[in-house]
Amino acid sequence: MVSPTLRLADRVTAAIRSSGFTLREISEATGISRAYLRKRLAGKREFKGADIVVIADHLGIPAGSLALGDRPPEVR
């Protein structure tokens, strides 16, 4: 379960882990480089809104669950 109190990077990390996809698979499917993802997941840089939408779409969850932590993501 993803808590709304978690940082955005933590929510994205939790959603990716629960999806069963690897970072490489997310990168290839979304066109977002692994280096870019790693920096954002580590909290060194902020995600852009469009990136959250693309990642959420690939994971099959509402972008709001990642961006706002408004409810736990339900991976397809």
Side-chain angles (χ1 to χ4, degrees):
M1 176 186 267
V2 176
S3 167
T5 60
L6 293 176
R7 294 178 313 128
L8 175 59
D10 294 332
R11 292 191 300 268
V12 175
T13 299
I16 290 172
R17 284 186 180 151
S18 71
S19 74
F21 290 112
T22 65
L23 199 57
R24 169 180 256 155
E25 291 169 328
I26 296 292
S27 174
E28 290 172 357
T30 62
I32 301 171
S33 78
R34 280 186 286 166
Y36 179 95
L37 285 171
R38 279 195 293 279
K39 286 180 185 176
R40 272 114 190 117
L41 294 173
K44 295 179 181 178
R45 303 269 185 179
E46 291 294 322
F47 279 99
K48 294 179 182 174
D51 299 328
I52 295 301
V53 171
V54 170
I55 293 168
D57 184 55
H58 181 70
L59 297 178
I61 59 177
S65 68
L66 290 181
L68 305 174
D70 60 353
R71 65 182 185 154
E74 298 169 12
V75 178
R76 284 190 240 176

